[in-house]
Amino acid sequence: MTTLLELDHINKDYRIRGFLDRSTLHAVKDVSFSLEVEKPEIFTIVGESGSGKTTTARMILGNETPTSGHLRFMGEDVAAIRSRAERLKFMARVQPIFQNPFEAFNPLTTLDYFLFATAKRFLGLKDQANIEAATDRALNHVGLSLAEVRGRYSHELSGGQLQRIAVARALIPEPKLIVADEPVSMVDASLRMSIVNLFRDLRDTLGVSIIYITHDLSTAYYISDRVIIMHRGDVVEAGDAKTVLGHPQHAYSRALREAVLPPDPVAARRIIAQRMASAKAAEARQPG
Amino acid sequence: MLAVVETKPASVEAKPVLRVEGLKAYYQMNYFGVRREVRAVDDISLTIKRNEIYGIAGESSSGKSSLIKTIAGAITPPLRVVEGSVKFDFGGKELDVYAERPAMKAARWKHLSYVMQGSMNVLNPVRKVKHAFHDFAFKHMGLSEQDFRARVESHLQRIGLDPRVLEAYPHQLSGGMRQRLTIGLATVCEPEFIIADEPTTALDVLVQQDVLALIKEVQQRLGSSIIFVTHDMTVHAAIADRIGIVYAGRLVEEGPTIDVFERPQHPYTAHLIASLPRIGDTKKRIALPGKPPNLADPPSGCRFHPRCPLAIDKCTRENPPLVPRQTGRVACWRAGEVEAA
């Protein structure tokens, strides 16, 4: 087995400098996990805002350096990458997908420009025909074609389509790993499934591993193989997705699990009624 | 305290608090001689009863936000009302939103208020929270400064906030507290009608249920009606009494929440519900093919037909009317033929 990505006791601290005081924020505390090359999987990081999940993603992408610990991609320490050529090689194999596709693409530039630029930069292609062929191939993986995208601006497409194009762009350099930070939270619930299903297909057909970062437990349960739950920088629970999300053990993961509203009016109403009752009880306990 | 408990006569209870009839609101643009018309609200009729939470569901750019803006009378050009009417009934007095502008202005906040999506956009970041309450509600309550302050404090206490938040700036509060505050702002005058636009979308998952419970609790206590807009069907499942599904500017289905979830009549509704992932179930969910229609150039006939698995020839030519069916209304030529997944 070859290790694709290894996080070895990763810590990240931020120094916060106020006007007079300074303090340290431990954004990520002692996170370790690894992914194998032979076993492509969807690895999910679940957490609320401020849990350190985005910081972890930025470290995997090489945008942040861990304060301590080692982050190795294909056996090489990511922090040790110095030269431009090595950096490009790394970026070609680890690609990001961002939260809001409307912000990821410049609205004044046609979308094919971004796709062609990615092909030129990471594949080193010079010939327009080859560039277009590589772009078309990537778009075909997400159920689109270059003919549909050529000359279009981001405002002409729906959020779901745009996010597909973002995925296609990430696929152009034929990466081994995709880091998707909240890729569906800005997409409508009805289009969410098309993106999430796409991740499944990519794992199964292209053998790409995906690090899926989300706060939505239901889609996490639906697509993940393994999951870690983060809370204020700590990993509170980790393991097989169906076990962890189906039967959470840690108090925080249980609270998260209970916060998911079921798509069933009878059960959901019961939950809201319970919340109302407990709020009333808390009010009664308060003096005055 | 000064909290006034109003009891409404029985005859008033029966009348709907809001009647929208044949409402058409279009974005009409005329740039350099090129006319463009986007039919964001296209012939929508609905009524909202007293003491009811009415949920509006639909994807973005389906026209659901334009619809509630039009209902609130808060539209600015290029969005214009082309046809139809919006009538409120506050305490037996009928109020036409687009005919009686001054009366409408007086009714705002006292009878009709809003809970908005981004709580940070509602609360001025450089002024203390107490000023927000003063700006929004003071002139509608007709109380002295002192009584007003006491009333606001007791109101905040009832929605689970410490009255000390009045002295805080918005950035000192958490997202959940700020959303509570916007709900507090919207309900301090005890209005009969509240418009809520995605009030829980920007919140962390752990706070969402509490905010929903709060909305429901306040609604029950005041006996107000709420029109609640979100694309999250699970939120509708949790608090809406009735749901209206909007697709491409039209109301395609409406009915009691439980019936809509259990027996959706329109193929679009059936898809929306079937595509919801559930913990404990990894059965593959099918995503709807195609893309949302362009409202500047909508498809002929039924606007859903290019994406509809049940579309027949008739659907491409004739627009199905919204007709009563079972416990609700539905606009589909093949209504009820969908198998709920």
Side-chain angles (χ1 to χ4, degrees):
Chain A
M1 286 286 235
T2 335
T3 309
L4 177 70
L5 176 78
E6 188 188 3
L7 272 74
D8 183 9
H9 300 283
I10 293 289
N11 284 284
K12 179 75 193 177
D13 299 340
Y14 287 107
R15 295 276 284 282
I16 301 170
R17 260 173 245 175
F19 183 54
L20 288 170
D21 58 324
R22 57 180 57 181
S23 60
T24 311
L25 173 80
H26 303 286
V28 174
K29 296 177 218 162
D30 198 28
V31 174
S32 301
F33 62 85
S34 64
L35 306 181
E36 307 295 331
V37 179
E38 286 84 3
K39 217 176 75 203
E41 65 177 321
I42 297 176
F43 187 91
T44 300
I45 304 178
V46 175
E48 284 184 282
S49 34
S51 64
K53 58 190 198 303
T54 298
T55 309
T56 311
R58 291 179 57 82
M59 285 192 284
I60 296 169
L61 287 167
N63 292 344
E64 297 275 357
T65 324
T67 313
S68 71
H70 292 282
L71 201 151
R72 282 183 282 268
F73 183 77
M74 303 289 280
E76 282 171 51
D77 200 321
V78 174
I81 296 175
R82 287 283 177 270
S83 77
R84 189 180 142 79
E86 269 180 73
R87 177 96 199 132
L88 272 181
K89 219 173 100 197
F90 169 74
M91 283 166 76
R93 290 179 301 174
V94 183
Q95 279 286 320
I97 295 168
F98 299 104
Q99 180 171 9
N100 190 344
F102 291 98
E103 284 174 8
F105 294 108
N106 183 341
L108 301 177
T109 311
T110 55
L111 295 164
D112 48 10
Y113 170 82
F114 295 99
L115 301 170
F116 293 157
T118 308
K120 275 184 219 164
R121 188 156 184 226
F122 292 119
L123 296 177
L125 299 174
K126 300 243 157 37
D127 183 27
Q128 186 64 20
N130 286 339
I131 292 173
E132 287 186 11
T135 308
D136 197 38
R137 204 159 50 235
L139 283 167
N140 286 340
H141 286 308
V142 301
L144 292 166
S145 67
L146 184 56
E148 290 172 72
V149 178
R150 194 194 293 273
R152 305 290 289 273
Y153 291 90
S154 59
H155 65 85
E156 295 176 52
L157 298 166
S158 71
Q161 279 180 311
L162 216 49
Q163 197 61 299
R164 277 169 179 272
I165 294 172
V167 176
R169 192 213 54 78
L171 287 175
I172 288 174
E174 296 175 356
K176 296 304 293 173
L177 180 66
I178 287 179
V179 180
D181 190 357
E182 301 260 14
V184 293
S185 60
M186 296 302 290
V187 178
D188 267 336
S190 53
L191 295 166
R192 217 167 263 187
M193 294 324 280
S194 76
I195 303 291
V196 166
N197 282 337
L198 176 61
F199 286 155
R200 263 192 179 185
D201 293 346
L202 295 179
R203 175 196 63 189
D204 297 339
T205 57
L206 299 178
V208 183
S209 284
I210 291 158
I211 293 187
Y212 175 59
I213 294 168
T214 188
H215 61 255
D216 177 11
L217 263 69
S218 8
T219 55
Y221 185 91
Y222 178 65
I223 60 162
S224 323
D225 299 303
R226 279 194 297 159
V227 64
I228 60 173
I229 296 177
M230 290 187 74
H231 178 48
R232 296 189 179 174
D234 284 308
V235 175
V236 296
E237 202 164 342
D240 173 63
K242 306 292 174 284
T243 325
V244 170
L245 298 176
H247 309 280
Q249 300 300 317
H250 190 277
Y252 177 72
S253 1
R254 275 212 297 274
L256 268 185
R257 171 72 180 76
E258 274 160 25
V260 178
L261 283 171
D264 165 17
V266 181
R269 262 141 224 268
R270 203 162 45 225
I271 291 171
I272 296 298
Q274 276 167 5
R275 287 274 167 160
M276 286 164 69
S278 62
K280 210 162 264 171
E283 197 183 322
R285 273 199 303 277
Q286 261 173 17
Chain B
M1 274 303 138
L2 280 150
V4 186
V5 180
E6 280 178 77
T7 44
K8 293 175 185 94
S11 60
V12 184
E13 293 287 338
K15 277 183 82 185
V17 69
L18 170 69
R19 274 208 331 274
V20 176
E21 276 161 13
L23 187 67
K24 291 185 181 175
Y26 299 164
Y27 290 87
Q28 292 174 323
M29 283 152 286
N30 195 349
Y31 293 133
F32 310 114
V34 180
R35 277 189 169 279
R36 202 162 167 252
E37 195 172 64
V38 176
R39 301 177 175 189
V41 178
D42 205 0
D43 202 5
I44 287 185
S45 300
L46 56 88
T47 56
I48 291 172
K49 292 183 277 228
R50 254 167 233 288
N51 207 354
E52 175 182 54
I53 300 184
Y54 187 94
I56 293 183
E59 51 199 351
S60 34
S61 77
S62 64
K64 58 188 194 311
S65 292
S66 303
L67 172 62
I68 56 159
K69 267 191 225 159
T70 316
I71 288 174
I75 60 171
T76 46
L79 182 60
R80 292 183 184 91
V81 172
V82 177
E83 231 179 277
S85 65
V86 180
K87 287 183 184 130
F88 282 103
D89 184 315
F90 294 132
K93 220 180 97 219
E94 194 176 80
L95 184 62
D96 188 324
V97 174
Y98 290 95
E100 300 152 73
R101 289 275 179 173
M104 189 60 204
K105 207 167 176 182
R108 282 229 169 99
W109 224 259
K110 194 163 173 54
H111 297 291
L112 165 73
S113 70
Y114 325 92
V115 179
M116 273 151 287
Q117 181 173 7
S119 48
M120 221 32 189
N121 306 335
V122 182
L123 302 167
N124 188 336
V126 296
R127 299 184 80 204
K128 286 182 180 172
V129 169
K130 64 178 177 187
H131 297 302
F133 275 90
H134 206 276
D135 295 349
F136 274 97
F138 183 69
K139 69 171 184 209
H140 295 293
M141 311 247 298
L143 298 172
S144 70
E145 288 276 357
Q146 240 172 354
D147 290 345
F148 176 73
R149 174 82 182 212
R151 176 83 166 266
V152 168
E153 283 184 4
S154 75
H155 181 70
L156 286 178
Q157 227 149 26
R158 244 187 297 177
I159 61 168
L161 281 172
D162 193 313
R164 279 178 300 179
V165 298
L166 287 172
E167 297 298 329
Y169 288 95
H171 71 264
Q172 295 173 309
L173 308 170
S174 72
M177 283 167 97
R178 282 204 297 266
Q179 197 61 45
R180 264 169 198 274
L181 266 179
T182 57
I183 294 167
L185 262 176
T187 53
V188 68
C189 296
E190 312 197 334
E192 282 123 304
F193 198 86
I194 300 166
I195 294 170
D197 188 2
E198 305 257 9
T200 58
T201 311
L203 293 178
D204 259 340
V205 272
L206 285 178
V207 211
Q208 192 191 37
Q209 286 184 5
D210 286 328
V211 171
L212 288 175
L214 173 67
I215 292 173
K216 185 102 185 166
E217 196 269 322
V218 171
Q219 183 265 335
Q220 284 183 351
R221 184 154 46 83
L222 302 181
S224 337
S225 309
I226 297 183
I227 191 163
F228 196 101
V229 181
T230 174
H231 68 257
D232 188 344
M233 290 300 282
T234 59
V235 171
H236 287 302
I239 70 163
D241 296 315
R242 281 194 303 152
I243 310 185
I245 313 280
V246 176
Y247 185 80
R250 287 185 181 148
L251 197 60
V252 295
E253 183 165 1
E254 178 190 66
T257 307
I258 294 181
D259 294 347
V260 169
F261 268 82
E262 280 175 2
R263 286 179 300 279
Q265 302 291 310
H266 195 282
Y268 179 63
T269 319
H271 161 76
L272 276 185
I273 291 159
S275 70
L276 295 170
R278 288 157 201 256
I279 291 181
D281 180 4
T282 48
K283 201 175 81 213
K284 184 144 184 174
R285 300 278 188 268
I286 311 293
L288 202 61
K291 56 171 182 172
N294 177 358
L295 290 178
D297 180 24
S300 61
C302 171
R303 289 179 174 180
F304 185 58
H305 85 260
R307 303 169 82 186
C308 181
L310 297 177
I312 49 171
D313 222 28
K314 193 180 187 184
C315 303
T316 62
R317 285 178 278 109
E318 289 171 56
N319 176 37
L322 189 67
V323 291
R325 192 182 159 87
Q326 296 193 346
T327 49
R329 293 186 295 166
V330 64
C332 179
W333 293 119
R334 303 195 63 185
E337 288 179 49
V338 268
E339 283 292 313

